[in-house]
Amino acid sequence: MAAQRTISREGIEVFRFGPVATVLIPLLALFLQASLPLRFSTLNIFDLPLLVVIFFSVARRSPMAGTLTGCIIGLAKDSLTYAHQPIGLFGISDSIVGYIASSIGVKIDVENPGSRLLMTFCFYLLSRGIYQVLRNMAKQPIDFNWGHELGAALVNAVLAVGLFMVLDRYKQRG
Amino acid sequence: MENFFTRYRNETVLFGVVFIQVILLAVQVRVPQPALGSVTAAVQPSQPGPRLIRVWATGLISPFQKLTVHSGEGIRGIWRNYVDLIHVRQQNIEMKQEIDHLRLEKIRLQQDAEQGQRLQALLGFKEQFLDQTVAAQVIGTSGTDLSRVIYVDRGTRDGVQPGMAVITPDGIVGKVSRADKTTSQVLLITDPMSGAGVLLERLRLNGVLKGTQSGYPEVLDVMADEKVQVGDTIVTTGGDRVFPKGLSVGTVTSVFPDRERDPFLAIRVKPTVNLGRLEEVLIVTKVLEQQVVTDANGAERAADILAQRLPSAKKKTADEVAKQTAAAEAAPGGETPAMNAEPKAVPQVATPTTRPPAVPDKYSPPDAKKSAGNMAETPAKKSEAPAVSENKKNNASAGDASTKKQVTPPKETPH
């Protein structure tokens, strides 16, 4: 398994980001996510922090970094939710998404817009699925409208294609 | 062992991160003992106080949000106040006309309010009114439709505390769920975790307003046989000790049987406040509850209130008094204490205008006995009685006995 991984790593490009981009891009995503729905309430369908997690994880191609990125951004999302809602629900789901995104980034071509669309669509649904399971585990079940979630996943996937193209400019070859 | 961790480093990190967060979740969440009559067994974190991570996150984001919102307000203000002033003159004329209408309306409503207060005083109602509110600017949201909260730029420094009601002039918005020093988190009424005591105004039915994941709150605890209609208005009851009573909540948009709770209805509500575009809100920091008091006269009879409200009814009452006077003074010169008593002279005591007893007994007051004795006097005095009685009334009210006595026309004598 380790040998396979080494071979994969040798065959693909690994990117890194400057410290400013590493800090400011997630912060900006959180800020926009918390501010934009004030004026346009329908925009809360987007999950910008999750898209940032996916982007960083896929680009770095390091499962450990992806896990930690997902954990930190997820916990930040958690901390903006209702005060009596336990912290860690988004943290766990985004950690898992970050890990899987990094692992997939090692194995398949994730620079293609088509694969980015499909990948983000699936990761969004995975994130919501994990969140739902965790809410049930925490005895705080919520009624998911899966039709709505599928639509949201598609919208986020389309946004991700454009967003990732913008964020590609901040990549540095590792 | 070292080889194992090196080999599965990524998986170990993932497991460790998830495990720590699961433990944190387990620490935060506790399952409460199911209480009798509870609608749902809501699970609350064991520590209701604000967590440090929330304070950090809010502290990190909110300065930028405040800056954005306030600078946006400034730019909009400059545009509105100095640039976009087309049609202002026409609007001014229309608004002046509207003010005139509103003044008339205000007088009418004031009279209604006074009457309402007096009636409430009669029934011993307690009045609730907003004593202190703090205006706040909405600066942010949770960013997800899985948790419908907003952030405002007022906190404990401004007197805001968790549990306070948040409203706008249009209706209720939610309640403060967390208050930091300079910001507060408000749980909207559309969030599944929120609840409020409400009343269907037309039917006077109480219910519980609960948020749903769809964003449209529902009224629960209304029996299926109630005739709830689309368009019915809903107001707060004040029974939840959060929202003052009588505030607008919303209108009914659909009514359907609650599948989970069979004999009850699920009533979907459209909030009167557009919660998707909130800019400014009011936080109710103090609600006064006090007994309704009217004026110095204290308790009044319902008949007096009606008489004040309806001038014609008042006149009739006066005529009735005069008729009673005439009838009671069957005997000439008969002046009973009740007839002489002007109602306004003794407002605290509800003095009945009764006839004096024909046959005084031991319970009759001395004056009654005297007047009863007068009833047996000659018929000549009988014709003078009404005029004298009327004069006495005028004396009491105008305080000019001699003049009034002389000008009293005989034709005004009631028959």
Side-chain angles (χ1 to χ4, degrees):
Chain A
M1 189 172 177
Q4 280 178 353
R5 191 172 292 160
T6 309
I7 292 165
S8 299
R9 282 188 173 279
E10 284 171 354
I12 56 169
E13 282 186 308
V14 177
F15 297 98
R16 61 185 182 85
F17 297 88
V20 177
T22 304
V23 174
L24 281 188
I25 289 173
L27 270 183
L28 188 66
L30 280 169
F31 167 72
L32 290 175
Q33 188 67 43
S35 303
L36 286 180
L38 269 186
R39 297 284 171 267
F40 312 99
S41 57
T42 48
L43 292 186
N44 65 8
I45 199 170
F46 294 126
D47 196 341
L48 290 177
L50 178 69
L51 300 187
V52 169
V53 169
I54 295 170
F55 176 77
F56 275 118
S57 305
V58 165
R60 283 177 176 145
R61 295 187 169 100
S62 160
M64 195 194 297
T67 305
L68 293 176
T69 305
C71 175
I72 292 167
I73 294 179
L75 286 175
K77 275 164 66 180
D78 272 320
S79 61
L80 291 174
T81 57
Y82 173 45
H84 293 286
Q85 195 169 304
I87 289 173
L89 299 174
F90 281 122
I92 293 173
S93 64
D94 286 9
S95 300
I96 295 171
V97 166
Y99 173 82
I100 298 174
S102 308
S103 305
I104 283 179
V106 173
K107 293 185 172 87
I108 62 170
D109 174 26
V110 287
E111 305 298 320
N112 184 292
S115 62
R116 281 179 169 180
L117 186 91
L118 187 65
M119 180 182 67
T120 312
F121 181 83
C122 295
F123 281 141
Y124 183 89
L125 289 179
L126 176 69
S127 164
R128 291 299 163 117
I130 296 168
Y131 183 84
Q132 168 78 319
V133 169
L134 291 171
R135 285 290 291 245
N136 283 324
M137 283 171 63
K139 301 287 180 194
Q140 292 186 351
I142 50 173
D143 298 326
F144 262 104
N145 180 351
W146 284 106
H148 172 81
E149 296 302 333
L150 281 171
L154 188 63
V155 169
N156 277 280
V158 172
L159 176 70
V161 173
L163 182 71
F164 289 1
M165 285 169 74
V166 174
L167 294 180
D168 279 341
R169 296 177 183 178
Y170 299 98
K171 281 180 179 175
Q172 298 170 355
R173 294 186 188 281
Chain B
M1 184 62 85
E2 189 182 341
N3 189 27
F4 177 84
F5 284 119
T6 310
R7 191 172 174 184
Y8 297 105
R9 191 178 57 180
N10 294 326
E11 290 78 6
T12 309
V13 168
L14 174 68
F15 179 78
V17 166
V18 171
F19 182 75
I20 290 169
Q21 289 183 91
V22 168
I23 295 295
L24 282 173
L25 272 178
V27 169
Q28 292 172 77
V29 179
R30 63 182 168 83
V31 181
Q33 294 295 324
L36 282 173
S38 62
V39 177
T40 52
V43 180
Q44 298 291 342
S46 55
Q47 297 168 357
R51 296 179 195 292
L52 198 57
I53 190 168
R54 289 192 190 278
V55 177
W56 286 348
T58 313
L60 202 62
I61 301 287
S62 64
F64 298 107
Q65 290 177 324
K66 281 182 187 175
L67 188 70
T68 311
V69 169
H70 291 146
S71 59
E73 284 291 313
I75 293 166
R76 271 202 296 264
I78 290 170
W79 175 261
R80 284 176 188 160
N81 296 329
Y82 295 99
V83 183
D84 187 23
L85 294 175
I86 304 166
H87 306 308
V88 168
R89 194 179 298 279
Q90 180 61 29
Q91 279 178 357
N92 201 20
I93 293 166
E94 287 171 4
M95 288 173 108
K96 277 180 179 170
Q97 288 173 347
E98 197 178 343
I99 286 171
D100 290 340
H101 284 295
L102 291 173
R103 278 183 181 152
L104 292 172
E105 184 75 2
K106 184 189 163 195
I107 292 166
R108 193 182 67 77
L109 291 174
Q110 204 168 358
Q111 287 177 344
D112 284 349
E114 284 170 5
Q115 187 193 24
Q117 280 189 339
R118 286 192 294 268
L119 290 170
Q120 283 185 337
L122 282 172
L123 295 170
F125 277 175
K126 283 189 173 176
E127 191 178 43
Q128 279 185 328
F129 56 92
L130 310 181
D131 189 52
Q132 282 178 7
T133 56
V134 173
Q137 182 85 39
V138 180
I139 58 168
T141 68
S142 69
T144 169
D145 54 1
L146 300 174
S147 180
R148 295 176 191 277
V149 296
I150 56 170
Y151 286 86
V152 294
D153 65 344
R154 302 283 179 181
T156 51
R157 200 172 59 182
D158 307 291
V160 179
Q161 295 294 329
M164 287 178 170
V166 181
I167 62 172
T168 71
D170 293 332
I172 64 169
V173 171
K175 67 175 179 181
V176 177
S177 52
R178 201 188 87 217
D180 298 333
K181 199 172 178 183
T182 58
T183 57
S184 297
Q185 188 189 60
V186 178
L187 182 70
L188 299 178
I189 54 169
T190 48
D191 189 275
M193 300 290 279
S194 77
V198 295
L199 175 81
L200 281 112
E201 244 186 338
R202 186 175 60 83
L203 301 170
R204 314 304 296 173
L205 281 173
N206 281 309
V208 177
L209 185 84
K210 292 285 288 180
T212 62
Q213 208 57 50
S214 65
Y216 287 99
E218 292 177 359
V219 178
L220 309 174
D221 290 353
V222 175
M223 295 297 286
D225 56 350
E226 299 292 352
K227 302 279 189 291
V228 182
Q229 292 175 0
V230 173
D232 280 352
T233 54
I234 296 166
V235 296
T236 53
T237 60
D240 52 19
R241 316 295 290 174
V242 175
F243 298 102
K245 72 178 177 186
L247 296 178
S248 180
V249 175
T251 51
V252 175
T253 56
S254 62
V255 184
F256 49 92
D258 194 339
R259 288 177 188 171
E260 293 174 6
R261 301 168 64 235
D262 192 24
F264 295 101
L265 288 173
I267 302 166
R268 188 157 286 183
V269 177
K270 183 185 178 191
T272 47
V273 179
N274 185 356
L275 298 171
R277 288 186 69 85
L278 282 171
E279 291 187 12
E280 288 97 18
V281 294
L282 294 170
I283 302 170
V284 182
T285 53
K286 195 174 177 186
V287 177
L288 281 187
E289 189 177 87
Q290 65 178 38
Q291 200 80 32
V292 176
V293 289
T294 52
D295 51 16
N297 287 339
E300 290 182 84
R301 294 182 306 153
D304 296 336
I305 293 163
L306 191 63
Q308 285 180 20
R309 186 80 183 93
L310 302 169
S312 57
K314 190 179 182 181
K315 207 173 207 174
K316 194 178 170 187
T317 312
D319 289 344
E320 280 179 356
V321 171
K323 278 181 186 173
Q324 282 179 351
T325 306
E329 291 179 314
E335 294 174 18
T336 63
M339 290 170 195
N340 293 335
E342 180 66 28
K344 283 188 177 177
V346 279
Q348 278 89 355
V349 182
T351 310
T353 54
T354 54
R355 289 185 180 194
V359 182
D361 54 23
K362 64 179 182 179
Y363 300 107
S364 303
D367 290 341
K369 286 178 186 173
K370 187 183 169 184
S371 63
N374 290 340
M375 289 171 77
E377 286 183 24
T378 58
K381 280 188 178 178
K382 191 180 174 181
S383 61
E384 295 172 18
V388 173
S389 173
E390 189 67 26
N391 285 339
K392 292 251 177 188
K393 274 189 196 172
N394 289 335
N395 294 348
S397 59
D400 187 3
S402 57
T403 317
K404 296 270 181 179
K405 210 169 198 175
Q406 286 168 3
V407 297
T408 305
K411 64 180 178 183
E412 289 182 6
T413 306
H415 298 289

